[in-house]
Amino acid sequence: MPPKTTDVVEEEDLDTLADETALAARRVVAAYATDAEECVMLFNMLGIAPEDDVEND
């Protein structure tokens, strides 16, 4: 069944997660992922993938 037009959300309408929320979500996903590949896939699906340009201090 195709989605209702009210179910379609434009990307600009999505709110970004707070850094602490995204970090907590990444920890939960990483804890339950069966391997690194699944972890990265889930991060991307959930929109919580770490930024590429983040530098480790």
Side-chain angles (χ1 to χ4, degrees):
M1 173 184 301
K4 295 182 267 180
T5 56
T6 56
D7 290 345
V8 177
V9 178
E10 298 298 324
E11 190 169 327
E12 64 266 2
D13 293 338
L14 296 175
D15 293 329
T16 56
L17 291 175
D19 290 338
E20 295 113 16
T21 304
L23 180 60
R26 285 186 209 115
R27 287 181 178 155
V28 171
V29 169
Y32 286 96
T34 57
D35 57 22
E37 184 178 337
E38 182 181 56
C39 186
V40 171
M41 178 191 63
L42 292 169
F43 281 177
N44 289 325
M45 290 174 66
L46 295 170
I48 58 172
E51 299 293 326
D52 290 338
D53 58 352
V54 173
E55 295 180 18
N56 293 331
D57 293 327

